[in-house]
Amino acid sequence: MQATSKTPMTSRNKAAAKSTRTTDVVIPDKLYFRIGEVAQLCRLPAYVLRFWETEFPQLKPVKGSTGQRMYRHKDVENVLRIKKLLYEEGFTIAGARQHLRAEHKGDKKQAPLPFPERSAPDLKHIRQGLREILAMLSSRQKRA
């Protein structure tokens, strides 16, 4: 009999092996999800979702008139993203929070407008044309 080497199963490895990959989850086409639905969909206990709400500012479900948490599609995507960072990629909560913040900042940066480079003579020609148009409009306005 040959001895096979096994990697020791830590609690993190067990949790990752036990849960399905976040890419396998199909989010139904609904406007709102209750916390129980999100917990079932993401295969997480509801208390974990409530805890993550306190740790991740990106996760802010609205509360209905009865006080029930109502997760939007975007919130469910955020839960799956957080789950992937923590359980599959091995981030700590602080590291995942920082990573999500950096991702969010990168999304906000706007690319500069692609203005073509113009030479000074080109700009003078354009400026002269605009002055001529302005003069024509001014003369029309005086006549009216």
Side-chain angles (χ1 to χ4, degrees), residues 22-124:
T22 56
T23 54
D24 296 342
V25 177
V26 177
I27 304 171
D29 190 24
K30 290 174 56 174
L31 288 178
Y32 291 101
F33 302 86
R34 291 195 171 127
I35 192 168
E37 294 172 308
V38 177
Q40 188 176 25
L41 230 153
C42 300
R43 300 192 183 204
L44 291 166
Y47 70 87
V48 170
L49 296 173
R50 287 190 294 271
F51 174 69
W52 285 357
E53 287 174 27
T54 65
E55 295 295 320
F56 296 97
Q58 300 86 353
L59 195 56
K60 292 287 178 213
V62 294
K63 292 193 179 180
S65 58
T66 60
Q68 176 80 35
R69 287 169 170 80
M70 301 303 282
Y71 287 79
R72 295 163 296 200
H73 197 274
K74 181 184 78 169
D75 294 319
V76 179
E77 288 173 348
N78 284 335
V79 167
L80 292 171
R81 180 75 179 121
I82 292 167
K83 180 182 176 184
K84 182 177 182 182
L85 289 173
L86 296 176
Y87 294 162
E88 293 176 24
E89 296 182 21
F91 279 80
T92 61
I93 288 178
R97 186 183 316 117
Q98 188 176 6
H99 185 79
L100 290 171
R101 192 177 304 128
E103 276 183 357
H104 188 67
K105 281 184 181 177
D107 291 346
K108 281 188 175 181
K109 290 183 182 175
Q110 186 177 5
L113 292 174
F115 288 119
E117 291 295 320
R118 298 279 185 175
S119 63
D122 286 342
L123 291 175
K124 286 181 182 179

